[in-house]
Every structure is written in C-alpha cells, then in structure tokens.
Amino acid sequence: KNEVEQSPQNLTAQEGEFITINCSYSVGISALHWLQQHPGGGIVSLFMLSSGKKKHGRLIATINIQEKHSSLHITASHPRDSAVYICAVDPYGGSQGNLIFGKGTKLSVKP
Amino acid sequence: NAGVMQNPRHLVRRRGQEARLRCSPMKGHSHVYWYRQLPEEGLKFMVYLQKENIIDESGMPKERFSAEFPKEGPSILRIQQVVRGDSAAYFCASSPPGISNYGYTFGSGTRLTVV
C-alpha cells in the first residue's frame, strides 16, 4: 500500500462544476503539498498546509491531521484547470524536500 | 524574478553516454532538491543539496548517479553510462533556508530519453 493515496485517479468534469480531489496518507507529517502539472510541463506548487484550510482564487485546500486526509477543491472549474494534481507530504522527522508523492489525479474539464 | 531554471528541457543520449542536467535555483534560494518521474509512475525524491554540501542522498541510485551544487553556478545532476531505464523527467526544486508558506518552487524539468 502506498503511503500517499489519491482519489480519484482520473476525473472528467464539465466546465463550471465543483471538483474535489482527495488525498490520504499513512505517515506522520510536518506539511502536505498540492502540486499541479500540465502535460509536458513543469510543476507548480499550489498549497503547503500543516493545518486547517487555505484558499487561493478558485482553489481551496483543507487538511484534517487527525484523520490523515486532505482535499483540494476547485470551484467553477474551467478547461484551463485540466492538469494532473499531485499530493505530496513532508514526513515528520525526514529531511527537507524528501517528499513522498501520490500518483496524481488527472483532471479533464470539458467546455 | 526568474523562477527555477532547468536546462536542457529535452536531452537525448545514446546508451553508455553521460547526461548532465542543470538547475539554477530561484534567486535567494540556497537549497536544491532533485526528483525523478519515471513514465507512468509518480515522482520520487533523489537528493537534497545546499551550496557545496550533500544533505540527503537517500533517493539516489547507488551507481552512476551523482549530484553537486558548487559555490558558484548551477546544481548539476550527472548520470554516467546511461541506460534505457534512466529515461524519465527530472525535476529540480529550490527553497530558501526556511520553507516559505508556499513550500518548494519547481522547475520545468528535463526530459531525458536514452536511445
């Protein structure tokens, strides 16, 4: 079993829909990251969370440390949101940058 | 204010050749990290470097791979005698000494193809 599990693996939505991507992890962490990767492109860091909730534009990330679970929400989705969304954790006690990554959720938003 | 710069974007090497991947961290960042993304697999940590120091190389393959971050110039990930299994996307990230609220800044990656 992977230490970081994401669901769903693939997600297709219509433009304007509310989207939720889930991430569960099995290790103690000091922080959790949500990343975005466009096809053939680089990686963009969206959020770093250690508790609670963060919002940036149409993106909202939440984390429940007790349940070892985080969600990434996209409101009013748009075709330009189509990308792979990756959850990654900084394991507690690990060295900086030694992240454990989920396999990613491939999101496709249709116009 | 340029972000993390990686070059080349694409690199083709024949089996047995050497591959050199470069990463210039974001201005003000002194910590560099390398990650590998194999086809159809997730990202994996390789190495964490500060200027002239390797801090954590627990993710580096034991042979043929090395990394450096000299006092001057970019960080280099070097793969000697490449094999087909080295074909992957290699990403570099950087951070300041204390992780900012936004964590790590990633580059656009180098796509290595071994033929």
Side-chain angles (χ1 to χ4, degrees):
Chain A
K1 189 179 188 300
N2 294 329
E3 292 165 300
V4 178
E5 297 272 3
Q6 288 186 235
S7 64
Q9 274 188 294
N10 293 283
L11 181 56
T12 300
Q14 286 298 129
E15 184 172 356
E17 284 185 0
F18 180 84
I19 287 162
T20 296
I21 299 170
N22 295 298
C23 175
S24 295
Y25 53 92
S26 57
V27 296
I29 68 170
S30 56
L32 181 142
H33 305 261
W34 281 103
L35 311 172
Q36 181 193 57
Q37 185 177 23
H38 282 101
I43 295 170
V44 175
S45 183
L46 299 174
F47 294 104
M48 184 178 83
L49 292 162
S50 53
S51 65
K53 175 180 173 178
K54 285 190 176 179
K55 184 176 190 289
H56 186 254
R58 295 180 294 107
L59 301 177
I60 302 166
T62 64
I63 188 168
N64 185 319
I65 295 292
Q66 286 73 31
E67 294 186 4
K68 291 189 164 66
H69 181 268
S70 176
S71 293
L72 176 68
H73 306 286
I74 305 175
T75 61
S77 60
H78 190 276
R80 66 174 172 267
D81 297 325
S82 298
V84 176
Y85 292 84
I86 301 168
C87 173
V89 300
D90 272 301
Y92 188 74
S95 73
Q96 196 163 297
N98 194 337
L99 301 171
I100 303 173
F101 295 86
K103 291 191 182 301
T105 294
K106 187 174 181 180
L107 171 65
S108 177
V109 181
K110 306 291 186 191
Chain B
N1 184 18
V4 176
M5 304 300 292
Q6 288 191 249
N7 66 81
R9 287 294 302 273
H10 300 274
L11 181 61
V12 179
R13 284 287 176 266
R14 295 188 183 279
R15 280 179 295 169
Q17 290 185 320
E18 179 179 286
R20 282 185 171 235
L21 288 61
R22 291 173 187 78
C23 170
S24 295
M26 198 164 170
K27 189 175 180 180
H29 287 190
S30 56
H31 296 202
V32 165
Y33 319 88
W34 286 93
Y35 304 92
R36 178 164 67 172
Q37 187 175 43
L38 291 165
E40 306 305 319
E41 291 191 25
L43 286 150
K44 295 275 195 281
F45 167 82
M46 298 182 78
V47 63
Y48 161 31
L49 308 113
Q50 296 176 20
K51 287 279 187 185
E52 300 184 284
N53 276 308
I54 297 173
I55 307 302
D56 179 357
E57 57 182 347
S58 59
M60 288 281 269
K62 294 285 183 275
E63 296 175 347
R64 301 185 298 107
F65 285 72
S66 63
E68 63 175 4
F69 188 16
K71 189 176 179 182
E72 301 290 338
S75 175
I76 306 285
L77 179 67
R78 184 180 176 208
I79 312 172
Q80 295 178 289
Q81 299 175 309
V82 295
V83 301
R84 290 240 170 92
D86 297 332
S87 295
Y90 292 83
F91 289 93
C92 167
S94 71
S95 73
I99 299 293
S100 70
N101 284 334
Y102 295 97
Y104 309 95
T105 303
F106 287 81
S108 296
T110 292
R111 271 90 183 154
L112 172 66
T113 303
V114 179
V115 298

